[in-house]
Amino acid sequence: MPDLQPVTVSIARTVQPGYHRQFAAWALAGQELAREWPGYLGSGWVRTGPHSDEWHVMNRFSDVLSLRDWDDSNERRWWIDSAGGLMQMTRVEHRTGIEGWFDQPGDVSISVAETVVPPRWKQAVSIFLPFFPLSLLSNFLLMPLLGEWPLVLAVLLNICILTPLMTYIFLPVTTQLLRPWLQKPRRRKNR
C-alpha cells in the first residue's frame, strides 16, 4: 500500500543572496521541530551548487499520514512563517522509497547527525531506574558515618559522590540497555 511506505518530500527554495547562513540556521530549526513528530525518520538539506541560491530541504516520514500531519501542524506553520522574506518556495516533490535520499551529481551537502530524542517521560524513567537504588545504597552506607553532620553537608557529599557515578557509569549503561525502548518510534496521535 503506497500510503504506508516511507515518503520523502523535497522542497526547492530560492534563498535571498547573502542569507545562506541564516537559511541554514532556519532549516536546522525546522529539523529540530520535526525530530519529535510521530513518524519522522530524518531530514537534511542540499544546495544545488557552491554558489547557487537554490536549496532543497528534505523531510522523510514513515508514511503519507505522518507527513500530512506534520504539514498541517501548528509547529510547522510557525516555522514556515518565521522565515519571513528569507526565501521563497519554488518546487515541491514527494517521493516514496529510498530514491528520496539520493542527491543529484554536483550537489553540495550539509549533513547534521540524526539523533532520536525520547519523550521526557522515558528520559525520566531511565534516570530513575539507576538513581533510586544507587541513592538508597549511598544513604545506607553513608548515614552511619554522617549521622552527626549537618543535613546540607551530608546531602552535598552524597550528591558529589552520586553525580559522577550517574554521569559516567550508571546512565550510560542504563541508556545502552534501554536503547531499543528509548528509540522506539512514537505512535501517531489520533485526531
Side-chain angles (χ1 to χ4, degrees):
M1 296 177 70
D3 282 355
L4 298 178
Q5 292 182 34
V7 60
T8 301
V9 60
S10 172
I11 303 171
R13 291 185 164 94
T14 302
V15 178
Q16 296 295 329
Y19 287 89
H20 294 280
R21 286 177 48 115
Q22 292 89 334
F23 176 79
W26 176 83
L28 183 59
Q31 186 178 42
E32 288 300 315
L33 281 174
R35 277 186 207 273
E36 300 247 352
W37 200 260
Y40 171 80
L41 298 177
S43 59
W45 58 95
V46 293
R47 193 172 180 183
T48 305
H51 304 290
S52 174
D53 291 327
E54 185 176 65
W55 290 69
H56 297 269
V57 177
M58 293 167 286
N59 290 299
R60 188 152 173 83
F61 286 85
S62 60
D63 53 56
V64 172
L65 294 175
S66 297
L67 173 60
R68 191 174 302 138
D69 286 347
W70 165 247
D71 282 345
D72 295 339
S73 71
N74 290 331
E75 290 94 336
R76 183 179 179 277
R77 199 171 1 270
W78 172 84
W79 172 61
I80 294 295
D81 291 344
S82 73
L86 191 60
M87 50 76 193
Q88 68 182 54
M89 187 166 41
T90 53
R91 187 174 63 250
V92 177
E93 295 178 24
H94 289 82
R95 302 175 186 161
T96 56
I98 198 166
E99 75 276 1
W101 284 113
F102 289 98
D103 302 337
Q104 298 173 6
D107 283 349
V108 175
S109 186
I110 298 174
S111 60
V112 177
E114 288 296 327
T115 57
V116 174
V117 179
R120 292 202 186 276
W121 71 269
K122 285 186 176 183
Q123 294 177 36
V125 168
S126 66
I127 293 169
F128 176 83
L129 288 175
F131 184 74
F132 180 69
L134 188 61
S135 180
L136 279 176
L137 179 64
S138 174
N139 280 302
F140 178 76
L141 295 175
L142 289 177
M143 278 307 140
L145 303 173
L146 306 178
E148 300 297 319
W149 284 34
L151 180 62
V152 172
L153 294 178
V155 170
L156 178 64
L157 177 64
N158 203 6
I159 289 173
C160 287
I161 293 170
L162 293 180
T163 299
L165 289 173
M166 285 291 292
T167 303
Y168 296 107
I169 299 170
F170 291 97
L171 281 177
V173 168
T174 302
T175 54
Q176 182 67 32
L177 291 171
L178 296 177
R179 176 164 280 136
W181 177 70
L182 289 170
Q183 295 188 346
K184 184 178 179 183
R186 296 180 185 195
R187 293 183 188 160
R188 185 176 22 262
K189 298 174 187 172
N190 293 329
R191 293 181 186 194

